[in-house]
Amino acid sequence: MVTQKFFENFSGDQVRFLARSFTVPGNHLGQQSIGLRWPYGPVTIITPFNFPLEIPALQLMGALYMGNKPLLKVDSKVSIVMEQMLRLLHDCGMPLEDVDFLNSDGPVMNHVLVEAEPKMTLFTGSSRVAEKLAGDLKGRIKLEDAGFDWKILGPDVQQVDYVSWVCDQDAYACSGQKCSAQSILFMHENWTKAGVVDKLKTLAKRRKLEDLTVGPVLTVTTKRILDHIESLLKIPGSKIAFGGKPLSNHTIPEIYGAVEPTAVYVPLKEILKAKNFDLVTTEIFGPFQVITEYKTAELHLVLEACEKMHAHLTAAVVSNDVHFLQEVLGNTVNGTTYAGIRARTTGAPQNHWFGPCGDPRGAGIGTPEAIKLVWSAHREIIQDVGPVGSGWKTPPCT
């Protein structure tokens, strides 16, 4: 649905309007400066397994809309989806030579990038690979990498059942395999007194393998997830709030993960200790989150934790207290931040920006602003056609 609506958004002359230019009058007759959105030319797009259609389709079309020649590489586990999408585009009239499509593993694609030297690369995936590519490509890259995404429940408790359901969806839908998934939940003590943890536990228990409301984790093994939980439990005051066990009665291969939706409570002050922070804020790309509690006087500690995180992708501030919202929003930086009692971290539609903030390499997706930022550069042409004044004489040299 998102991909369909994206195509609808850029029907008619909307692609033409993406490249709208502007002019500024010059200093004399015949002079003006013209600001243009200019394509990079040869570009590459690398996208992950978890959104087989939406991410590669939207980024590919954005690259094409701005006049580039893209080479597309999708995670091989799901690349058949975009292969079929390309065939559909060809059937709808896209010239065969407009897009190159490569099936390969990571090292082969890395070699192609280094040898081909594309003018710009869009990478969506892990932070580890993103940083390697940023070096290999000498900075000619836009990134939408990992997100250790936070949610803050403010002091004003309301709509507890609804907020609990959104928290469950944000953390555990798609078995947590979304870069926007809720990774850590900061709960004001008023919410814990209202029983939000028990409600989350009840909601998580509804998820079962039979209907795939919890399912295989493609990039993190069961052992890796359980080892991470054990490491967190060594932090003083930590405990399993719910989950923490492998799924049973299944035939999921060991190379994948299969665990119950899990939440581990870690005390806020322990999270902030240097020896614990990197461990607590390690993204587990599965049905797992960290939860913690804070008092009103400890909001500054929550904001300190948010600032120290390195991947500022999505976030949610669940509150209708305007002054609380101003305090949190004014002291955080996440690129896609939802604010209000209905705030979430996941489920971004095509009609608003989705991408990180606070990093000059940050990419966006979906909107005209995102397309122009990622897939074009600003070029200024200063037109100066005269006339030269009839009385002009060669001036003294300077």
Side-chain angles (χ1 to χ4, degrees), residues 261-279:
T262 299
V264 173
Y265 175 87
V266 183
L268 177 59
K269 290 183 179 178
E270 290 293 332
I271 292 174
L272 286 166
K273 291 182 178 178
K275 63 181 180 180
N276 298 330
F277 191 80
D278 286 346
L279 172 65

Side-chain angles (χ1 to χ4, degrees), residues 176-248:
Q177 295 172 98
K178 295 182 284 185
C179 53
S180 57
Q182 178 180 302
S183 303
I184 187 167
L185 179 64
F186 297 97
M187 305 172 294
H188 191 278
E189 61 178 344
N190 294 347
W191 283 90
T192 53
K193 292 174 183 175
V196 69
V197 176
D198 288 337
K199 289 184 179 293
L200 289 174
K201 182 177 181 179
T202 300
L203 289 165
K205 282 186 174 180
R206 300 190 309 166
R207 297 184 175 275
K208 54 187 184 296
L209 192 58
E210 288 76 14
D211 60 6
L212 292 180
T213 49
V214 66
V217 177
L218 271 65
T219 57
V220 191
T221 64
T222 300
K223 183 180 184 304
R224 169 75 180 93
I225 297 171
L226 296 180
D227 286 349
H228 184 69
I229 293 170
E230 286 301 312
S231 297
L232 289 173
L233 292 177
K234 293 176 183 177
I235 299 173
S238 298
K239 59 184 179 182
I240 294 177
F242 52 83
K245 299 175 183 177
L247 296 176
S248 57

Side-chain angles (χ1 to χ4, degrees), residues 133-383:
L133 289 178
D136 291 346
L137 299 174
K138 300 179 176 65
R140 294 188 298 271
I141 193 167
K142 289 288 187 182
L143 303 176
E144 198 260 272
D145 54 349
F148 191 84
D149 304 305
W150 50 261
K151 178 182 286 180
I152 299 173
L153 305 184
D156 50 321
V157 177
Q158 52 187 298
Q159 302 292 334
V160 178
D161 288 340
Y162 177 82
V163 169
S164 300
W165 172 75
V166 174
C167 287
D168 175 77
Q169 284 290 109
D170 282 345
Y172 304 127
C174 301
S175 295
Q177 295 172 98
K178 295 182 284 185
C179 53
S180 57
Q182 178 180 302
S183 303
I184 187 167
L185 179 64
F186 297 97
M187 305 172 294
H188 191 278
E189 61 178 344
N190 294 347
W191 283 90
T192 53
K193 292 174 183 175
V196 69
V197 176
D198 288 337
K199 289 184 179 293
L200 289 174
K201 182 177 181 179
T202 300
L203 289 165
K205 282 186 174 180
R206 300 190 309 166
R207 297 184 175 275
K208 54 187 184 296
L209 192 58
E210 288 76 14
D211 60 6
L212 292 180
T213 49
V214 66
V217 177
L218 271 65
T219 57
V220 191
T221 64
T222 300
K223 183 180 184 304
R224 169 75 180 93
I225 297 171
L226 296 180
D227 286 349
H228 184 69
I229 293 170
E230 286 301 312
S231 297
L232 289 173
L233 292 177
K234 293 176 183 177
I235 299 173
S238 298
K239 59 184 179 182
I240 294 177
F242 52 83
K245 299 175 183 177
L247 296 176
S248 57
N249 301 318
H250 66 80
T251 57
I252 299 170
E254 290 185 0
I255 59 169
Y256 303 121
V259 298
E260 297 176 350
T262 299
V264 173
Y265 175 87
V266 183
L268 177 59
K269 290 183 179 178
E270 290 293 332
I271 292 174
L272 286 166
K273 291 182 178 178
K275 63 181 180 180
N276 298 330
F277 191 80
D278 286 346
L279 172 65
V280 174
T281 58
T282 295
E283 182 184 24
I284 298 296
F285 213 59
F288 175 84
Q289 65 174 322
V290 172
I291 63 175
T292 192
E293 184 185 60
Y294 73 98
K295 296 178 171 59
T296 298
E298 294 175 318
L299 179 60
H300 69 284
L301 298 178
V302 174
L303 297 175
E304 179 185 341
C306 295
E307 177 63 23
K308 288 175 68 176
M309 297 173 196
H310 75 278
H312 300 291
L313 184 54
T314 68
V317 191
V318 182
S319 174
N320 278 349
D321 181 330
V322 175
H323 292 164
F324 181 83
L325 289 173
Q326 288 177 171
E327 179 71 13
V328 175
L329 296 174
N331 286 281
T332 53
V333 71
N334 293 48
T336 303
T337 303
Y338 297 85
I341 203 64
R342 298 187 60 167
R344 62 188 195 271
T345 64
T346 63
Q350 73 294 330
N351 57 284
H352 70 231
W353 165 282
F354 182 86
C357 185
D359 186 335
R361 305 168 300 178
I365 189 171
T367 64
E369 291 76 21
I371 293 170
K372 287 184 279 189
L373 172 78
V374 174
W375 295 116
S376 68
H378 180 86
R379 185 184 184 191
E380 196 90 358
I381 294 178
I382 295 85
Q383 190 177 61

